[in-house]
PDB file of all heavy atoms in Angstrom:
ATOM      1  N   ASN L   2     115.902 103.210  99.965  1.00 46.00           N
ATOM      2  CA  ASN L   2     116.020 104.090  98.812  1.00 46.00           C
ATOM      3  C   ASN L   2     117.372 104.039  98.129  1.00 46.00           C
ATOM      4  O   ASN L   2     117.564 104.656  97.090  1.00 46.00           O
ATOM      5  CB  ASN L   2     115.734 105.532  99.222  1.00 46.00           C
ATOM      6  CG  ASN L   2     114.253 105.854  99.068  1.00 46.00           C
ATOM      7  OD1 ASN L   2     113.605 105.256  98.221  1.00 46.00           O
ATOM      8  ND2 ASN L   2     113.747 106.752  99.864  1.00 46.00           N
ATOM      9  N   GLU L   3     118.313 103.242  98.728  1.00 60.00           N
ATOM     10  CA  GLU L   3     119.627 103.190  98.087  1.00 60.00           C
ATOM     11  C   GLU L   3     119.578 102.447  96.755  1.00 60.00           C
ATOM     12  O   GLU L   3     120.476 102.569  95.942  1.00 60.00           O
ATOM     13  CB  GLU L   3     120.695 102.581  99.030  1.00 60.00           C
ATOM     14  CG  GLU L   3     120.495 101.135  99.394  1.00 60.00           C
ATOM     15  CD  GLU L   3     119.649 100.975 100.661  1.00 60.00           C
ATOM     16  OE1 GLU L   3     119.017 101.961 101.106  1.00 60.00           O
ATOM     17  OE2 GLU L   3     119.607  99.871 101.192  1.00 60.00           O
ATOM     18  N   LEU L   4     118.504 101.678  96.500  1.00 75.00           N
ATOM     19  CA  LEU L   4     118.376 101.028  95.195  1.00 75.00           C
ATOM     20  C   LEU L   4     118.066 102.116  94.171  1.00 75.00           C
ATOM     21  O   LEU L   4     117.129 102.891  94.354  1.00 75.00           O
ATOM     22  CB  LEU L   4     117.248  99.989  95.231  1.00 75.00           C
ATOM     23  CG  LEU L   4     117.545  98.723  96.037  1.00 75.00           C
ATOM     24  CD1 LEU L   4     116.319  97.843  96.125  1.00 75.00           C
ATOM     25  CD2 LEU L   4     118.688  97.950  95.419  1.00 75.00           C
ATOM     26  N   SER L   5     118.856 102.169  93.100  1.00 89.00           N
ATOM     27  CA  SER L   5     118.713 103.290  92.172  1.00 89.00           C
ATOM     28  C   SER L   5     117.412 103.189  91.372  1.00 89.00           C
ATOM     29  O   SER L   5     116.907 102.102  91.114  1.00 89.00           O
ATOM     30  CB  SER L   5     119.909 103.316  91.227  1.00 89.00           C
ATOM     31  OG  SER L   5     119.952 102.082  90.567  1.00 89.00           O
ATOM     32  N   ALA L   6     116.904 104.361  90.987  1.00 92.00           N
ATOM     33  CA  ALA L   6     115.634 104.417  90.254  1.00 92.00           C
ATOM     34  C   ALA L   6     115.864 104.087  88.786  1.00 92.00           C
ATOM     35  O   ALA L   6     116.795 104.587  88.164  1.00 92.00           O
ATOM     36  CB  ALA L   6     115.038 105.803  90.391  1.00 92.00           C
ATOM     37  N   LYS L   7     114.990 103.232  88.244  1.00 93.00           N
ATOM     38  CA  LYS L   7     115.074 102.887  86.815  1.00 93.00           C
ATOM     39  C   LYS L   7     114.063 103.726  86.049  1.00 93.00           C
ATOM     40  O   LYS L   7     112.854 103.604  86.271  1.00 93.00           O
ATOM     41  CB  LYS L   7     114.734 101.409  86.613  1.00 93.00           C
ATOM     42  CG  LYS L   7     115.819 100.459  87.029  1.00 93.00           C
ATOM     43  CD  LYS L   7     115.437  99.044  86.601  1.00 93.00           C
ATOM     44  CE  LYS L   7     116.424  98.043  87.145  1.00 93.00           C
ATOM     45  NZ  LYS L   7     115.966  96.657  87.009  1.00 93.00           N
ATOM     46  N   LYS L   8     114.571 104.527  85.121  1.00 92.00           N
ATOM     47  CA  LYS L   8     113.699 105.394  84.333  1.00 92.00           C
ATOM     48  C   LYS L   8     112.715 104.568  83.492  1.00 92.00           C
ATOM     49  O   LYS L   8     111.547 104.922  83.351  1.00 92.00           O
ATOM     50  CB  LYS L   8     114.596 106.235  83.411  1.00 92.00           C
ATOM     51  CG  LYS L   8     114.025 107.574  83.078  1.00 92.00           C
ATOM     52  CD  LYS L   8     115.030 108.412  82.333  1.00 92.00           C
ATOM     53  CE  LYS L   8     114.319 109.627  81.759  1.00 92.00           C
ATOM     54  NZ  LYS L   8     115.150 110.415  80.892  1.00 92.00           N
ATOM     55  N   SER L   9     113.217 103.438  82.966  1.00 93.00           N
ATOM     56  CA  SER L   9     112.385 102.615  82.079  1.00 93.00           C
ATOM     57  C   SER L   9     111.146 102.085  82.814  1.00 93.00           C
ATOM     58  O   SER L   9     110.153 101.738  82.183  1.00 93.00           O
ATOM     59  CB  SER L   9     113.197 101.446  81.543  1.00 93.00           C
ATOM     60  OG  SER L   9     113.624 100.638  82.624  1.00 93.00           O
ATOM     61  N   LEU L  10     111.199 102.006  84.139  1.00 95.00           N
ATOM     62  CA  LEU L  10     110.053 101.504  84.907  1.00 95.00           C
ATOM     63  C   LEU L  10     109.299 102.645  85.585  1.00 95.00           C
ATOM     64  O   LEU L  10     108.517 102.427  86.503  1.00 95.00           O
ATOM     65  CB  LEU L  10     110.518 100.471  85.948  1.00 95.00           C
ATOM     66  CG  LEU L  10     110.981  99.126  85.379  1.00 95.00           C
ATOM     67  CD1 LEU L  10     111.530  98.221  86.470  1.00 95.00           C
ATOM     68  CD2 LEU L  10     109.838  98.418  84.648  1.00 95.00           C
ATOM     69  N   GLY L  11     109.558 103.867  85.134  1.00 93.00           N
ATOM     70  CA  GLY L  11     108.823 105.032  85.650  1.00 93.00           C
ATOM     71  C   GLY L  11     109.021 105.226  87.146  1.00 93.00           C
ATOM     72  O   GLY L  11     108.088 105.610  87.855  1.00 93.00           O
ATOM     73  N   GLN L  12     110.227 104.950  87.634  1.00 95.00           N
ATOM     74  CA  GLN L  12     110.428 104.980  89.093  1.00 95.00           C
ATOM     75  C   GLN L  12     110.721 106.383  89.627  1.00 95.00           C
ATOM     76  O   GLN L  12     111.760 106.976  89.333  1.00 95.00           O
ATOM     77  CB  GLN L  12     111.548 104.007  89.479  1.00 95.00           C
ATOM     78  CG  GLN L  12     111.111 102.556  89.250  1.00 95.00           C
ATOM     79  CD  GLN L  12     112.163 101.526  89.595  1.00 95.00           C
ATOM     80  OE1 GLN L  12     113.331 101.862  89.801  1.00 95.00           O
ATOM     81  NE2 GLN L  12     111.770 100.268  89.649  1.00 95.00           N
ATOM     82  N   HIS L  13     109.790 106.910  90.391  1.00 97.00           N
ATOM     83  CA  HIS L  13     109.952 108.153  91.155  1.00 97.00           C
ATOM     84  C   HIS L  13     109.422 107.824  92.537  1.00 97.00           C
ATOM     85  O   HIS L  13     108.218 107.583  92.684  1.00 97.00           O
ATOM     86  CB  HIS L  13     109.158 109.307  90.523  1.00 97.00           C
ATOM     87  CG  HIS L  13     109.633 109.651  89.147  1.00 97.00           C
ATOM     88  ND1 HIS L  13     110.745 110.424  88.908  1.00 97.00           N
ATOM     89  CD2 HIS L  13     109.158 109.285  87.935  1.00 97.00           C
ATOM     90  CE1 HIS L  13     110.930 110.543  87.605  1.00 97.00           C
ATOM     91  NE2 HIS L  13     109.983 109.852  86.983  1.00 97.00           N
ATOM     92  N   PHE L  14     110.305 107.758  93.502  1.00 97.00           N
ATOM     93  CA  PHE L  14     109.904 107.261  94.811  1.00 97.00           C
ATOM     94  C   PHE L  14     109.375 108.388  95.683  1.00 97.00           C
ATOM     95  O   PHE L  14     110.016 109.439  95.820  1.00 97.00           O
ATOM     96  CB  PHE L  14     111.085 106.535  95.472  1.00 97.00           C
ATOM     97  CG  PHE L  14     111.647 105.435  94.604  1.00 97.00           C
ATOM     98  CD1 PHE L  14     113.013 105.348  94.351  1.00 97.00           C
ATOM     99  CD2 PHE L  14     110.803 104.500  94.015  1.00 97.00           C
ATOM    100  CE1 PHE L  14     113.527 104.356  93.536  1.00 97.00           C
ATOM    101  CE2 PHE L  14     111.314 103.497  93.200  1.00 97.00           C
ATOM    102  CZ  PHE L  14     112.676 103.425  92.950  1.00 97.00           C
ATOM    103  N   LEU L  15     108.242 108.139  96.287  1.00 97.00           N
ATOM    104  CA  LEU L  15     107.584 109.143  97.122  1.00 97.00           C
ATOM    105  C   LEU L  15     108.333 109.252  98.445  1.00 97.00           C
ATOM    106  O   LEU L  15     108.596 108.245  99.102  1.00 97.00           O
ATOM    107  CB  LEU L  15     106.133 108.690  97.337  1.00 97.00           C
ATOM    108  CG  LEU L  15     105.128 109.695  97.854  1.00 97.00           C
ATOM    109  CD1 LEU L  15     105.147 110.978  97.031  1.00 97.00           C
ATOM    110  CD2 LEU L  15     103.739 109.079  97.830  1.00 97.00           C
ATOM    111  N   ARG L  16     108.671 110.498  98.805  1.00 95.00           N
ATOM    112  CA  ARG L  16     109.389 110.649 100.080  1.00 95.00           C
ATOM    113  C   ARG L  16     108.709 111.689 100.975  1.00 95.00           C
ATOM    114  O   ARG L  16     109.315 112.173 101.927  1.00 95.00           O
ATOM    115  CB  ARG L  16     110.861 111.004  99.832  1.00 95.00           C
ATOM    116  CG  ARG L  16     111.052 112.279  99.023  1.00 95.00           C
ATOM    117  CD  ARG L  16     112.512 112.480  98.690  1.00 95.00           C
ATOM    118  NE  ARG L  16     112.725 113.765  98.058  1.00 95.00           N
ATOM    119  CZ  ARG L  16     113.045 114.863  98.716  1.00 95.00           C
ATOM    120  NH1 ARG L  16     113.197 114.842 100.023  1.00 95.00           N
ATOM    121  NH2 ARG L  16     113.227 116.002  98.075  1.00 95.00           N
ATOM    122  N   ASP L  17     107.471 112.020 100.644  1.00 97.00           N
ATOM    123  CA  ASP L  17     106.727 113.010 101.410  1.00 97.00           C
ATOM    124  C   ASP L  17     105.689 112.265 102.279  1.00 97.00           C
ATOM    125  O   ASP L  17     104.692 111.752 101.780  1.00 97.00           O
ATOM    126  CB  ASP L  17     106.032 113.959 100.417  1.00 97.00           C
ATOM    127  CG  ASP L  17     105.187 115.012 101.099  1.00 97.00           C
ATOM    128  OD1 ASP L  17     104.638 114.733 102.180  1.00 97.00           O
ATOM    129  OD2 ASP L  17     105.063 116.113 100.535  1.00 97.00           O
ATOM    130  N   ALA L  18     105.980 112.237 103.581  1.00 97.00           N
ATOM    131  CA  ALA L  18     105.150 111.429 104.495  1.00 97.00           C
ATOM    132  C   ALA L  18     103.692 111.891 104.490  1.00 97.00           C
ATOM    133  O   ALA L  18     102.773 111.072 104.613  1.00 97.00           O
ATOM    134  CB  ALA L  18     105.719 111.506 105.900  1.00 97.00           C
ATOM    135  N   SER L  19     103.489 113.197 104.308  1.00 98.00           N
ATOM    136  CA  SER L  19     102.112 113.688 104.349  1.00 98.00           C
ATOM    137  C   SER L  19     101.338 113.203 103.110  1.00 98.00           C
ATOM    138  O   SER L  19     100.164 112.829 103.200  1.00 98.00           O
ATOM    139  CB  SER L  19     102.152 115.214 104.470  1.00 98.00           C
ATOM    140  OG  SER L  19     101.161 115.798 103.719  1.00 98.00           O
ATOM    141  N   ALA L  20     102.001 113.181 101.946  1.00 98.00           N
ATOM    142  CA  ALA L  20     101.336 112.664 100.730  1.00 98.00           C
ATOM    143  C   ALA L  20     101.012 111.181 100.910  1.00 98.00           C
ATOM    144  O   ALA L  20      99.922 110.720 100.538  1.00 98.00           O
ATOM    145  CB  ALA L  20     102.219 112.885  99.511  1.00 98.00           C
ATOM    146  N   VAL L  21     101.935 110.426 101.486  1.00 98.00           N
ATOM    147  CA  VAL L  21     101.699 108.991 101.721  1.00 98.00           C
ATOM    148  C   VAL L  21     100.464 108.817 102.613  1.00 98.00           C
ATOM    149  O   VAL L  21      99.548 108.060 102.292  1.00 98.00           O
ATOM    150  CB  VAL L  21     102.928 108.332 102.411  1.00 98.00           C
ATOM    151  CG1 VAL L  21     102.612 106.910 102.856  1.00 98.00           C
ATOM    152  CG2 VAL L  21     104.135 108.344 101.480  1.00 98.00           C
ATOM    153  N   ARG L  22     100.411 109.575 103.692  1.00 98.00           N
ATOM    154  CA  ARG L  22      99.295 109.457 104.639  1.00 98.00           C
ATOM    155  C   ARG L  22      97.970 109.807 103.952  1.00 98.00           C
ATOM    156  O   ARG L  22      96.963 109.113 104.107  1.00 98.00           O
ATOM    157  CB  ARG L  22      99.560 110.388 105.829  1.00 98.00           C
ATOM    158  CG  ARG L  22      98.533 110.288 106.951  1.00 98.00           C
ATOM    159  CD  ARG L  22      98.853 111.241 108.101  1.00 98.00           C
ATOM    160  NE  ARG L  22      99.300 112.576 107.688  1.00 98.00           N
ATOM    161  CZ  ARG L  22      98.507 113.534 107.204  1.00 98.00           C
ATOM    162  NH1 ARG L  22      97.222 113.325 107.073  1.00 98.00           N
ATOM    163  NH2 ARG L  22      99.003 114.703 106.848  1.00 98.00           N
ATOM    164  N   ARG L  23      97.984 110.869 103.140  1.00 98.00           N
ATOM    165  CA  ARG L  23      96.734 111.289 102.496  1.00 98.00           C
ATOM    166  C   ARG L  23      96.250 110.261 101.467  1.00 98.00           C
ATOM    167  O   ARG L  23      95.044 110.050 101.301  1.00 98.00           O
ATOM    168  CB  ARG L  23      96.922 112.665 101.837  1.00 98.00           C
ATOM    169  CG  ARG L  23      97.102 113.765 102.888  1.00 98.00           C
ATOM    170  CD  ARG L  23      97.410 115.089 102.241  1.00 98.00           C
ATOM    171  NE  ARG L  23      96.234 115.709 101.638  1.00 98.00           N
ATOM    172  CZ  ARG L  23      96.287 116.788 100.851  1.00 98.00           C
ATOM    173  NH1 ARG L  23      97.450 117.344 100.542  1.00 98.00           N
ATOM    174  NH2 ARG L  23      95.186 117.303 100.356  1.00 98.00           N
ATOM    175  N   ILE L  24      97.180 109.620 100.791  1.00 98.00           N
ATOM    176  CA  ILE L  24      96.780 108.577  99.820  1.00 98.00           C
ATOM    177  C   ILE L  24      96.112 107.417 100.568  1.00 98.00           C
ATOM    178  O   ILE L  24      95.049 106.933 100.187  1.00 98.00           O
ATOM    179  CB  ILE L  24      98.010 108.066  99.028  1.00 98.00           C
ATOM    180  CG1 ILE L  24      98.528 109.154  98.101  1.00 98.00           C
ATOM    181  CG2 ILE L  24      97.673 106.801  98.237  1.00 98.00           C
ATOM    182  CD1 ILE L  24      99.844 108.834  97.406  1.00 98.00           C
ATOM    183  N   ILE L  25      96.751 106.994 101.665  1.00 98.00           N
ATOM    184  CA  ILE L  25      96.208 105.856 102.417  1.00 98.00           C
ATOM    185  C   ILE L  25      94.843 106.229 103.031  1.00 98.00           C
ATOM    186  O   ILE L  25      93.920 105.417 103.050  1.00 98.00           O
ATOM    187  CB  ILE L  25      97.202 105.386 103.512  1.00 98.00           C
ATOM    188  CG1 ILE L  25      98.565 105.035 102.882  1.00 98.00           C
ATOM    189  CG2 ILE L  25      96.649 104.208 104.309  1.00 98.00           C
ATOM    190  CD1 ILE L  25      98.564 103.891 101.901  1.00 98.00           C
ATOM    191  N   GLU L  26      94.716 107.484 103.462  1.00 98.00           N
ATOM    192  CA  GLU L  26      93.416 107.914 104.016  1.00 98.00           C
ATOM    193  C   GLU L  26      92.318 107.819 102.958  1.00 98.00           C
ATOM    194  O   GLU L  26      91.195 107.409 103.238  1.00 98.00           O
ATOM    195  CB  GLU L  26      93.502 109.361 104.518  1.00 98.00           C
ATOM    196  CG  GLU L  26      94.045 109.446 105.943  1.00 98.00           C
ATOM    197  CD  GLU L  26      94.343 110.885 106.379  1.00 98.00           C
ATOM    198  OE1 GLU L  26      93.934 111.850 105.672  1.00 98.00           O
ATOM    199  OE2 GLU L  26      95.009 111.026 107.402  1.00 98.00           O
ATOM    200  N   LEU L  27      92.662 108.222 101.714  1.00 98.00           N
ATOM    201  CA  LEU L  27      91.652 108.175 100.643  1.00 98.00           C
ATOM    202  C   LEU L  27      91.189 106.744 100.352  1.00 98.00           C
ATOM    203  O   LEU L  27      90.089 106.527  99.856  1.00 98.00           O
ATOM    204  CB  LEU L  27      92.213 108.798  99.356  1.00 98.00           C
ATOM    205  CG  LEU L  27      92.267 110.328  99.309  1.00 98.00           C
ATOM    206  CD1 LEU L  27      92.993 110.791  98.052  1.00 98.00           C
ATOM    207  CD2 LEU L  27      90.847 110.912  99.336  1.00 98.00           C
ATOM    208  N   LEU L  28      92.060 105.782 100.668  1.00 98.00           N
ATOM    209  CA  LEU L  28      91.701 104.386 100.393  1.00 98.00           C
ATOM    210  C   LEU L  28      90.659 103.879 101.398  1.00 98.00           C
ATOM    211  O   LEU L  28      89.967 102.899 101.130  1.00 98.00           O
ATOM    212  CB  LEU L  28      92.977 103.524 100.436  1.00 98.00           C
ATOM    213  CG  LEU L  28      92.964 102.207  99.689  1.00 98.00           C
ATOM    214  CD1 LEU L  28      92.597 102.389  98.230  1.00 98.00           C
ATOM    215  CD2 LEU L  28      94.318 101.518  99.810  1.00 98.00           C
ATOM    216  N   ASP L  29      90.564 104.572 102.546  1.00 97.00           N
ATOM    217  CA  ASP L  29      89.526 104.278 103.535  1.00 97.00           C
ATOM    218  C   ASP L  29      89.541 102.797 103.945  1.00 97.00           C
ATOM    219  O   ASP L  29      88.540 102.085 103.797  1.00 97.00           O
ATOM    220  CB  ASP L  29      88.158 104.677 102.927  1.00 97.00           C
ATOM    221  CG  ASP L  29      87.088 104.764 103.986  1.00 97.00           C
ATOM    222  OD1 ASP L  29      87.433 104.871 105.168  1.00 97.00           O
ATOM    223  OD2 ASP L  29      85.897 104.697 103.623  1.00 97.00           O
ATOM    224  N   ILE L  30      90.682 102.368 104.453  1.00 98.00           N
ATOM    225  CA  ILE L  30      90.860 100.942 104.773  1.00 98.00           C
ATOM    226  C   ILE L  30      90.115 100.574 106.063  1.00 98.00           C
ATOM    227  O   ILE L  30      90.195 101.278 107.059  1.00 98.00           O
ATOM    228  CB  ILE L  30      92.363 100.605 104.935  1.00 98.00           C
ATOM    229  CG1 ILE L  30      93.089 100.926 103.639  1.00 98.00           C
ATOM    230  CG2 ILE L  30      92.557  99.143 105.332  1.00 98.00           C
ATOM    231  CD1 ILE L  30      94.594 100.809 103.731  1.00 98.00           C
ATOM    232  N   GLU L  31      89.410  99.460 105.967  1.00 96.00           N
ATOM    233  CA  GLU L  31      88.681  98.966 107.140  1.00 96.00           C
ATOM    234  C   GLU L  31      89.209  97.581 107.498  1.00 96.00           C
ATOM    235  O   GLU L  31      89.753  96.883 106.630  1.00 96.00           O
ATOM    236  CB  GLU L  31      87.194  98.859 106.811  1.00 96.00           C
ATOM    237  CG  GLU L  31      86.546 100.225 106.693  1.00 96.00           C
ATOM    238  CD  GLU L  31      85.161 100.162 106.095  1.00 96.00           C
ATOM    239  OE1 GLU L  31      84.626  99.050 105.911  1.00 96.00           O
ATOM    240  OE2 GLU L  31      84.635 101.252 105.809  1.00 96.00           O
ATOM    241  N   PRO L  32      89.029  97.180 108.765  1.00 96.00           N
ATOM    242  CA  PRO L  32      89.480  95.841 109.157  1.00 96.00           C
ATOM    243  C   PRO L  32      88.857  94.797 108.226  1.00 96.00           C
ATOM    244  O   PRO L  32      87.678  94.889 107.888  1.00 96.00           O
ATOM    245  CB  PRO L  32      88.961  95.688 110.596  1.00 96.00           C
ATOM    246  CG  PRO L  32      88.770  97.087 111.087  1.00 96.00           C
ATOM    247  CD  PRO L  32      88.411  97.918 109.888  1.00 96.00           C
ATOM    248  N   GLY L  33      89.656  93.844 107.806  1.00 95.00           N
ATOM    249  CA  GLY L  33      89.159  92.793 106.915  1.00 95.00           C
ATOM    250  C   GLY L  33      89.389  93.092 105.446  1.00 95.00           C
ATOM    251  O   GLY L  33      89.230  92.221 104.599  1.00 95.00           O
TER     252      GLY L  33
END
Side-chain angles (χ1 to χ4, degrees):
N2 270 331
E3 65 270 13
L4 288 174
S5 58
K7 285 188 187 168
K8 209 172 168 187
S9 61
L10 289 175
Q12 292 179 348
H13 297 280
F14 305 130
L15 196 51
R16 58 186 187 93
D17 178 328
S19 142
V21 171
R22 185 180 42 75
R23 291 175 76 190
I24 291 172
I25 304 297
E26 275 171 11
L27 283 173
L28 203 55
D29 195 19
I30 300 172
E31 288 168 8

